[in-house]
């Protein structure tokens, strides 16, 4: 189904979060198995996947509340699937290229990807992943930017900088973006120690990135939901068909993972 989620396979979906191991599942403590008296205030209700009667605004709120608190349970992924499907079902696409460009332009922080399958190294820490969209009519540029810290000795993060994946795009129908990879760029921060193995760093970044954001060549991005501060993108292509990326406009929400 074009507007539906591809089947979610446990272990092949992940939530992006601040992690010493790169973008991995958000670290949230689960209720001890031998303690049936304490409640889980942020757990997913058993009927979370049932969105019957839910408005788009309610689904959006539930989605934004759930993602930072996910612990990797199947019901959480099913809930994300249901919320996003409802948003896509109720979404009315932007009718003109000018309004589409106005809505898309800016910096978007990745909240969730269904395509994080790598095993990041403990040497690498990604502090955030931002997608910057700059539009010009039916063309534009798309840059995936990650702030990285590297501990070559696996103890001290003394190398830091920015990694950019620079792409260009064309819109050929509706809101479909045909994306081409232009370049990868590593920029050490001022005063940072320079990594001794730059190709090795690129390899670590490749493992930590959603693959479709590291190299989107040969794929199209369909904007299946877009408002002032939330954006859902569905991929079409030979390697990542049906993959979803969920973005929030940078700075529009305060994301608070569950505390201890």
């Amino acid at each position: 189904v074009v507007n539906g989620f591809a089947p979610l396979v446990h272990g092949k979906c992940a939530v992006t979060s601040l992690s010493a191991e790169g973008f991995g599942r958000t670290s949230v403590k689960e209720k001890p198995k031998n303690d049936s008296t304490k409640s889980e205030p942020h757990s997913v209700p058993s009927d979370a996947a049932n969105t019957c009667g839910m408005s788009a605004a309610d689904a959006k709120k539930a989605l934004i509340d759930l993602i930072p608190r996910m612990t990797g349970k199947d019901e959480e992924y099913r809930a994300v699937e249901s919320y996003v499907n409802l948003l896509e079902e109720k979404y009315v696409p932007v009718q003109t290229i000018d309004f589409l460009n106005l809505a898309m332009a800016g910096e978007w922080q990745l909240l969730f990807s269904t395509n994080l399958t790598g095993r990041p190294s403990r040497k690498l820490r990604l502090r955030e992943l931002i997608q910057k969209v700059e539009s010009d009519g039916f063309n534009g540029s798309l840059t995936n930017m990650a702030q990285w810290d590297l501990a070559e000795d696996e103890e001290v993060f003394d190398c830091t900088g920015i990694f950019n994946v620079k792409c260009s795009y064309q819109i050929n129908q509706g809101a479909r973006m045909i994306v081409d990879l232009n370049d990868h760029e590593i920029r050490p921060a001022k005063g940072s120690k320079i990594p001794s193995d730059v190709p090795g760093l690129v390899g670590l970044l490749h493992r930590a990135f959603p693959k479709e954001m590291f190299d989107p060549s040969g794929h199209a991005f369909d904007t299946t939901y877009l408002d002032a501060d939330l954006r859902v993108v569905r991929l079409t292509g030979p390697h990542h068909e049906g993959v979803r990326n969920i973005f929030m406009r940078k700075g529009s929400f305060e994301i608070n993972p569950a505390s201890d």
Side-chain angles (χ1 to χ4, degrees), residues 91 93-94 100 104 171-177 221-224:
Y91 176 58
V94 179
L100 176 64
M104 283 198 311
I171 295 178
N172 65 356
Q173 58 177 321
R176 172 167 290 188
M177 303 166 69
F221 293 0
D222 289 320
T223 301
T224 56

Side-chain angles (χ1 to χ4, degrees), residues 131-143:
Q131 186 172 90
K132 183 177 181 179
V133 181
E134 297 176 286
S135 58
D136 182 14
F138 288 93
N139 304 292
S141 65
L142 188 154
T143 305

Side-chain angles (χ1 to χ4, degrees), residues 16 35 38 46 48 58 75 88 106 113 147 160 164 175 184 202:
T16 60
D35 187 347
K38 295 181 181 179
S46 59
D58 290 339
E75 58 265 31
E88 291 178 335
S113 173
Q147 297 184 31
T160 186
N164 294 323
H184 292 113
V202 174

Side-chain angles (χ1 to χ4, degrees), residues 42 49 103 108-109 114 152 155-156 173 176 179 246 258:
H42 302 298
W108 298 86
Q109 183 175 347
T114 61
E152 293 186 299
E155 294 183 3
V156 180
Q173 58 177 321
R176 172 167 290 188
V179 182
I246 302 174

Side-chain angles (χ1 to χ4, degrees), residues 32-59:
K33 293 182 179 179
N34 62 350
D35 187 347
S36 60
T37 61
K38 295 181 181 179
S39 63
E40 289 181 287
H42 302 298
S43 60
V44 181
S46 59
D47 61 346
N50 181 8
T51 56
C52 182
M54 181 177 284
S55 68
D58 290 339

Side-chain angles (χ1 to χ4, degrees), residues 148-196:
W148 55 267
D149 300 312
L150 180 68
E152 293 186 299
D153 61 0
E154 299 191 14
E155 294 183 3
V156 180
F157 289 92
D158 52 3
C159 304
T160 186
I162 296 177
F163 178 65
N164 294 323
V165 181
K166 296 185 174 182
C167 307
S168 56
Y169 73 84
Q170 291 182 325
I171 295 178
N172 65 356
Q173 58 177 321
R176 172 167 290 188
M177 303 166 69
I178 307 300
V179 182
D180 292 311
L181 174 66
N182 296 334
D183 195 15
H184 292 113
E185 177 187 72
I186 292 180
R187 297 174 55 193
K190 184 177 180 179
S192 168
K193 177 182 174 182
I194 303 300
S196 60

Side-chain angles (χ1 to χ4, degrees), residues 103-125:
M104 283 198 311
E107 295 187 349
W108 298 86
Q109 183 175 347
L110 181 67
L111 288 181
F112 183 92
S113 173
T114 61
N115 196 39
L116 282 171
T117 60
R119 299 179 60 85
S121 170
R122 299 197 71 87
K123 293 182 178 181
L124 182 69
R125 178 173 63 202

